[in-house]
Amino acid sequence: MQLFSNLIALIIIPLTLFAAPNFPFPQNAKYTYGTKPSMINNDRIQAAYKDFIDRFYEESSDKTKARIKWDTPSQTVSEGIGYGMLVMVYMDNETNNTRDKFDKLWKYYNSFLNTNELMHWKIDGFNNVASQNAATDAELDVAAALVQAHKQWGDQKYLDDARTLIDKIWNKEVNANGYLKPGDTWDNKKNPSYFSTAALESFKHAGSQDWNKVIANSYSLIKKVQNTTTGLVPDWCQENGGSTGDNYKYDAARTPWRIAWGYLWYGHNDAKEICSKIATWIMSSTKGDASKVGDGYNLDGTRTSQWLTSTFLGAFACAGMVDSSHQTWLDNAYKVQDSLITVKESYFSTSLKLVYLLLLSGNMPDLWNPPAPETFTLTVQTDPANAGTITVSPAAKEFSRGDTIKLKASTNDKYTFSRWSGDTSSTSAELTIIITKNMTIKALFDKVSVHPGQKKNSDGLRFSFTGNTTDALQFSIPQPGVVSMKIYTLQGQLVEYLSDGYFEKGIHSINGLNRLSNGVYWITLRSLSECISCRLTINR
């Protein structure tokens, strides 16, 4: 009987470890509120996740716990555990299998608790406490991750754990006036970048505390300390709105992300107002060029440092998500943020880069109210309509944002492929595209007449060749102009680009046929007004 029980355990345990998530990455969700970047490639976000795991995720020697390495790699800070747990909730799929990582990070959190049963904010590896007591931003992210984990993996234990942690946050990290404290043991100033209003709203699923009051106080204080022109907030401030400095640096930089998150999930009007002011200013300040974002500002918008980092850029991109009027800024900022995916940034910027990308791309929705995945159509056309066909692979009626699609244009005997037009452009008959919106793509074909040796058009455009042995080709044009000459396979695939330039009136000779293998080809001569083609046989 004992042997039979062990066999049952061996069967059940793997099923638990590799249980499929309810909302696998990528989700491509359209948020209930706000907008998203126009061009999103989920493969790039997967690459950012792999870089984060490879460089910063580490498991203990007994494989029971895991940590996120800090800027000092031998240490871990509690905020990193929070970022890591959020990432694991939303990056889970059959490839990434993040639930086990999530559980190990949560166990690490619980291995270094203070007397208030909250994690000490800095730890030496897997061993000792380096700096004591808790940091509120970490607790908010960890608790938010637990609330979402309940829906992602359908396990009640996550919601139970969330409820326990949220009770401690309420009792130890919210003061008597209903404001978030910066930590569990001190409260002499406030950090606006800790005001995670989406997390606070989500806590209503796990408790009956008055989170509305904390949310309202958070927005109210941000509005008090915001610069009236730029919308920037200081790293730290007083509860009454008094300033403790004029710096928008690496603490404050996270604020637009935190606040935009509250609008995208719950439609908080205060969040939209706060972020819109920031988005309007940064668009103007950079003249729409997100690569000009620096990593430090005074509250009046004076840039104090010129370095481009994800910590600042990605948060400013998130600010643009609250209204379609900021779409131009959002698209440019996302494009620049995408270019930083391959840049090996610090722990802080790398962690934030990934959570920013998840929110920006629609891959960080509220799993308690999951929006339907955003889908798009692909319409393909041939011009002329009977000139050929287009093969779409994979074939489907609707596609998700970021799907990779292969197109192949095939011709009949009377036409040769020219180029693609519409929502893409290329002269190659085989093309790979990424779905970013409802797309219409047209394959353009040129009609040809099949004559060996010589072809003359009505305006005097002419070319000739001997066929089997020559390595040169002659053509004549009746007037000066730009002429292009291309050689295709019979299936319409471009194989040689002989010429594309300005020529004087008269007869000209072009070499290049010696590069072709034996076979039968289409050769096309195009001026600004005419195009002629014919069959070319190479048989050396």
Side-chain angles (χ1 to χ4, degrees):
M1 181 61 71
Q2 182 63 43
L3 177 60
F4 180 75
S5 297
N6 291 341
L7 288 174
I8 293 295
L10 288 174
I11 293 171
I12 293 175
I13 289 173
L15 292 177
T16 301
L17 291 177
F18 300 104
N22 292 317
F23 305 96
F25 173 84
Q27 295 184 59
N28 303 301
K30 182 178 181 180
Y31 296 116
T32 305
Y33 304 92
T35 185
K36 294 196 305 183
S38 302
M39 300 285 287
I40 297 169
N41 183 346
N42 287 312
D43 290 341
R44 298 280 293 165
I45 300 173
Q46 177 67 30
Y49 167 77
K50 184 177 185 304
D51 177 63
F52 175 73
I53 293 297
D54 289 348
R55 293 200 293 132
F56 298 104
Y57 176 85
E58 181 184 44
E59 295 188 356
S60 59
S61 58
D62 62 1
K63 303 299 181 183
T64 62
K65 297 186 288 291
R67 70 187 185 99
I68 303 301
K69 291 184 282 188
W70 190 44
D71 290 325
T72 301
S74 62
Q75 294 181 319
T76 285
V77 292
S78 57
E79 71 176 22
I81 300 300
Y83 297 149
M85 290 176 67
L86 285 171
V87 166
M88 302 313 165
V89 168
Y90 289 104
M91 286 301 302
D92 198 22
N93 58 22
E94 186 176 355
T95 299
N96 297 333
N97 186 35
T98 61
R99 183 177 180 180
D100 185 51
K101 294 181 177 69
F102 181 94
D103 290 341
K104 290 176 179 178
L105 290 169
W106 178 224
K107 185 170 183 179
Y108 184 94
Y109 179 97
N110 286 288
S111 298
F112 301 99
L113 302 181
N114 66 6
T115 56
N116 290 327
E117 297 185 307
L118 299 169
M119 180 182 166
H120 291 288
W121 79 272
K122 186 188 291 183
I123 309 297
D124 286 327
F126 292 95
N127 302 308
N128 305 307
V129 175
S131 296
Q132 294 186 345
N133 297 317
T136 302
D137 61 329
E139 272 70 65
L140 297 185
D141 287 338
V142 169
L146 288 166
V147 170
Q148 298 300 315
H150 169 63
K151 289 296 185 179
Q152 177 65 291
W153 296 302
D155 196 325
Q156 182 64 32
K157 74 175 184 180
Y158 295 123
L159 190 58
D160 293 340
D161 288 347
R163 183 174 292 112
T164 299
L165 179 56
I166 289 167
D167 285 344
K168 295 171 186 174
I169 294 170
W170 180 262
N171 291 323
K172 301 298 181 181
E173 294 182 330
V174 176
N175 70 19
N177 297 325
Y179 286 87
L180 286 172
K181 299 159 58 178
D184 62 334
T185 62
W186 65 296
D187 191 27
N188 63 347
K189 56 183 178 179
K190 299 292 185 285
N191 189 320
S193 76
Y194 287 13
F195 296 172
S196 185
T197 52
L200 297 174
E201 188 81 47
S202 74
F203 292 172
K204 297 176 184 178
H205 296 299
S208 57
Q209 298 92 345
D210 187 5
W211 293 112
N212 284 335
K213 181 177 182 179
V214 184
I215 293 168
N217 284 342
S218 297
Y219 286 134
S220 175
L221 184 52
I222 287 178
K223 287 183 175 182
K224 285 180 181 178
V225 300
Q226 263 193 316
N227 181 277
T228 56
T229 301
T230 67
L232 299 181
V233 299
D235 286 340
W236 296 90
C237 66
Q238 300 295 336
E239 186 173 305
N240 63 7
S243 176
T244 60
D246 190 38
N247 298 317
Y248 181 89
K249 292 189 176 179
Y250 277 84
D251 271 304
R254 297 171 292 182
T255 307
W257 160 62
R258 296 271 190 208
I259 302 307
W261 181 5
Y263 181 72
L264 296 171
W265 280 20
Y266 301 111
H268 291 168
N269 289 328
D270 288 326
K272 183 176 183 179
E273 180 183 340
I274 290 165
C275 286
S276 284
K277 183 174 289 187
I278 295 172
T280 299
W281 164 75
I282 192 64
M283 173 73 171
S284 174
S285 175
T286 61
K287 295 181 172 57
D289 182 357
S291 67
K292 298 296 191 297
V293 168
D295 67 333
Y297 292 86
N298 293 327
L299 296 193
D300 65 3
T302 304
R303 194 174 69 171
T304 58
S305 182
Q306 78 278 20
W307 302 109
L308 178 66
T309 69
S310 292
T311 298
F312 287 77
L313 171 62
F316 283 144
C318 291
M321 299 180 75
V322 300
D323 194 274
S324 59
S325 64
H326 306 303
Q327 192 70 50
T328 300
W329 164 254
L330 175 59
D331 287 344
N332 180 256
Y334 189 85
K335 181 179 179 181
V336 179
Q337 179 64 81
D338 182 87
S339 73
L340 294 181
I341 287 175
T342 56
V343 176
K344 303 299 184 186
E345 296 185 276
S346 67
Y347 140 79
F348 195 61
S349 285
T350 299
S351 301
L352 289 172
K353 173 166 53 183
L354 186 49
V355 293
Y356 291 164
L357 286 168
L358 287 170
L359 187 68
L360 284 160
S361 62
N363 287 301
M364 193 175 168
D366 177 14
L367 302 184
W368 288 73
N369 184 31
E374 193 171 18
T375 59
F376 302 97
T377 58
L378 172 63
T379 302
V380 294
Q381 303 169 338
T382 59
D383 185 14
N386 62 347
T389 59
I390 301 173
T391 303
V392 180
S393 180
K397 292 183 178 180
E398 292 184 331
F399 301 92
S400 296
R401 183 188 296 270
D403 282 354
T404 299
I405 309 299
K406 293 184 178 180
L407 304 178
K408 181 178 180 180
S410 301
T411 63
N412 62 34
D413 288 341
K414 295 182 179 180
Y415 292 87
T416 184
F417 175 75
S418 174
R419 58 188 174 88
W420 300 97
S421 69
D423 287 315
T424 190
S425 60
S426 175
T427 57
S428 174
E430 295 187 21
L431 182 67
T432 299
I433 64 169
I434 296 174
I435 297 294
T436 60
K437 59 182 180 179
N438 292 327
M439 302 179 75
T440 298
I441 296 176
K442 182 180 293 186
L444 303 180
F445 298 88
D446 291 327
K447 190 172 183 179
V448 300
S449 299
V450 181
H451 296 290
Q454 187 178 81
K455 173 68 180 176
K456 181 177 180 179
N457 209 38
S458 58
D459 69 349
L461 194 65
R462 180 196 305 261
F463 61 79
S464 62
F465 51 89
T466 58
N468 294 337
T469 60
T470 185
D471 289 336
L473 185 147
Q474 285 190 334
F475 68 93
S476 64
I477 56 175
Q479 57 189 13
V482 176
V483 174
S484 68
M485 188 178 297
K486 303 177 185 179
I487 298 178
Y488 300 86
T489 65
L490 295 183
Q491 292 74 38
Q493 181 71 42
L494 179 67
V495 294
E496 192 70 44
Y497 208 144
L498 292 180
S499 171
D500 188 7
Y502 180 86
F503 291 87
E504 296 291 344
K505 174 182 177 180
I507 299 174
H508 304 273
S509 179
I510 292 182
N511 296 318
L513 299 183
N514 61 321
R515 295 192 291 269
L516 298 177
S517 302
N518 288 346
V520 181
Y521 303 88
W522 285 115
I523 184 166
T524 299
L525 182 67
R526 182 188 297 273
S527 69
L528 294 178
S529 59
E530 299 291 340
C531 176
I532 58 173
S533 300
C534 71
R535 196 184 297 258
L536 167 67
T537 300
I538 301 295
N539 184 18
R540 296 186 179 89

